[in-house]
DNA sequence: ATGGTTGTGCAACAA
């Protein structure tokens, strides 16, 4: 089975690209972020025609998460602990629990949104502590909006004060990971690999990006995963998202 | 310091 995450930056703007990639990649389950639409206008029929059922949890204009799957989904939960239904969507796929997360961007240091971002990470860790045991087969994936390590950004020395790579953010990310997650891409690959490149300044062509999209598995799940990769191809296509998918392989 | 680009939705704001 292949399970992927992709910040699509508007599902209505990105539908042709997403359907093309599903066809080519033969992914079974796709967790999407920044769908940017209410559930009534999510292109559910188009996904169904392609063989995928969807679970959606969106809102107007901003945020929005959704899972498309060609295997049955169950136990669909929008939001977490009563919060943020446009940022977190949990589904069961067979015997594994998939959490699709779109973590706050944060604006810049000092912003109210930045404080909220740090609190979100801390509170989400507490939520996991209260909700899941360490032996769960848990897969947390999505756009976390924080790069882990210097090799996960294109200019670590110049980015100490850049959103997504500030020490406080990295500490918050690590606190969440320390719940017991394995960073699945890093488990299999030591090379530098970004998942997001700004649309501006030809950042993609110059490969100036950040690794901010992750698939994290609990120990119990991680032992079953055979590979995790970043598929850069759809970032090269016409009208791309500024993010590209991360794919997990499970036998 | 600012700007550059894309999306939503039609002016700004978010990223």
């Amino acid at each position: 089975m292949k399970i992927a995450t992709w910040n699509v930056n508007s599902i209505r703007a990105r539908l042709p690209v997403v359907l093309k990639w599903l066809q080519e990649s033969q992914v079974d389950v796709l967790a999407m972020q920044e769908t940017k639409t209410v559930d009534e206008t999510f292109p559910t029929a188009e996904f169904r025609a392609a063989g995928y059922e969807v679970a959606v949890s969106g809102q107007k204009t901003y945020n929005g998460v959704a899972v498309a799957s060609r295997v049955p989904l169950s136990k669909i939960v929008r939001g977490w602990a009563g919060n943020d239904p446009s940022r977190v969507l949990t589904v069961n796929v067979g015997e594994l629990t998939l959490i699709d997360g779109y973590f706050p961007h944060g604006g810049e240091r000092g912003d109210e949104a930045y404080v909220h971002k740090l609190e979100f990470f801390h509170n989400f860790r507490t939520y996991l502590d209260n909700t899941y045991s360490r032996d769960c087969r848990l897969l947390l994936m999505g756009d976390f909006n924080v790069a882990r390590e210097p090799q996960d950004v294109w200019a670590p020395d110049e980015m100490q004060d850049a959103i997504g790579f500030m020490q406080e953010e990295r500490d918050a990310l690590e606190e969440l990971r320390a719940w017991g997650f394995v960073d699945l891409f890093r488990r299999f690959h030591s090379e530098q690999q970004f998942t997001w490149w700004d649309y501006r300044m030809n950042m993609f062509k110059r490969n100036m990006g950040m690794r901010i999209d992750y698939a994290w598995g609990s120990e119990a799940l991680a032992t079953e995963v055979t590979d995790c990769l970043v598929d850069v191809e759809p970032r090269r296509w016409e009208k791309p998202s500024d993010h590209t998918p991360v794919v997990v392989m499970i036998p």
Side-chain angles (χ1 to χ4, degrees):
Chain A
M1 183 152 68
K2 286 185 177 181
I3 305 180
T5 176
W6 194 2
N7 179 322
V8 297
N9 186 16
S10 170
I11 190 55
R12 289 185 292 170
R14 214 65 60 211
L15 186 63
V17 161
V18 171
L19 292 180
K20 178 185 177 188
W21 185 73
L22 285 175
Q23 169 71 29
E24 293 191 0
S25 66
Q26 289 295 303
V27 155
D28 299 288
V29 183
L30 174 61
M32 293 170 273
Q33 305 85 40
E34 282 207 273
T35 51
K36 293 189 173 179
T37 186
V38 294
D39 299 349
E40 290 72 25
T41 49
F42 190 96
T44 302
E46 288 84 348
F47 275 92
R48 196 164 285 153
Y52 293 81
E53 63 170 292
V54 293
V56 293
S57 192
Q59 66 177 23
K60 186 176 156 77
T61 309
Y62 303 118
N63 310 332
V65 285
V67 176
S69 178
R70 58 183 189 184
V71 298
L73 299 176
S74 60
K75 294 187 185 171
I76 296 165
V77 178
R78 296 172 179 81
W80 55 283
N83 303 316
D84 299 307
S86 72
R87 291 190 180 275
V88 176
L89 175 63
T90 305
V91 300
N92 274 33
V93 181
E95 298 301 308
L96 80 82
T97 299
L98 167 61
I99 305 178
D100 178 10
Y102 174 54
F103 289 73
H105 177 275
E108 52 190 285
R109 194 188 332 251
D111 288 358
E112 199 174 309
Y114 180 74
V115 176
H116 175 249
K117 179 181 192 175
L118 298 177
E119 288 175 348
F120 189 109
F121 273 91
H122 178 74
N123 294 337
F124 195 72
R125 161 68 199 258
T126 302
Y127 164 73
L128 294 181
D129 287 336
N130 295 336
T131 310
Y132 298 102
S133 73
R134 297 301 188 278
D135 54 7
C136 282
R137 295 174 74 246
L138 192 59
L139 179 60
L140 172 64
M141 60 199 327
D143 176 1
F144 294 30
N145 267 314
V146 181
R148 274 190 80 189
E149 295 169 337
Q151 68 163 326
D152 294 323
V153 300
W154 64 275
D157 294 339
E158 293 89 71
M159 292 171 74
Q160 300 296 321
D161 295 314
I163 193 69
F165 195 60
M166 289 187 270
Q167 193 59 51
E168 293 172 295
E169 298 175 273
R170 294 170 61 195
D171 291 345
L173 183 73
E174 175 56 21
E175 183 197 14
L176 177 59
R177 195 208 56 75
W179 174 84
F181 288 113
V182 174
D183 177 352
L184 294 170
F185 177 78
R186 243 336 136 233
R187 180 188 185 118
F188 295 98
H189 302 278
S190 57
E191 71 272 18
Q192 184 174 66
Q193 177 61 65
F194 305 136
T195 64
W196 169 84
W197 300 260
D198 200 301
Y199 284 125
R200 296 168 285 191
M201 306 289 286
N202 286 315
M203 296 291 261
F204 179 63
K205 283 183 180 167
R206 300 152 77 193
N207 196 29
M208 295 167 153
M210 301 171 73
R211 189 171 74 98
I212 56 177
D213 301 88
Y214 301 94
W216 284 4
S218 62
E219 288 287 350
L221 182 76
T223 56
E224 299 173 22
V225 173
T226 55
D227 199 5
C228 176
L229 54 84
V230 177
D231 185 355
V232 181
E233 269 313 303
R235 188 63 178 78
R236 303 184 212 280
W237 297 349
E238 288 297 311
K239 265 183 79 74
S241 169
D242 45 353
H243 297 250
T244 212
V246 180
V247 187
V248 176
M249 320 289 189
I250 304 172

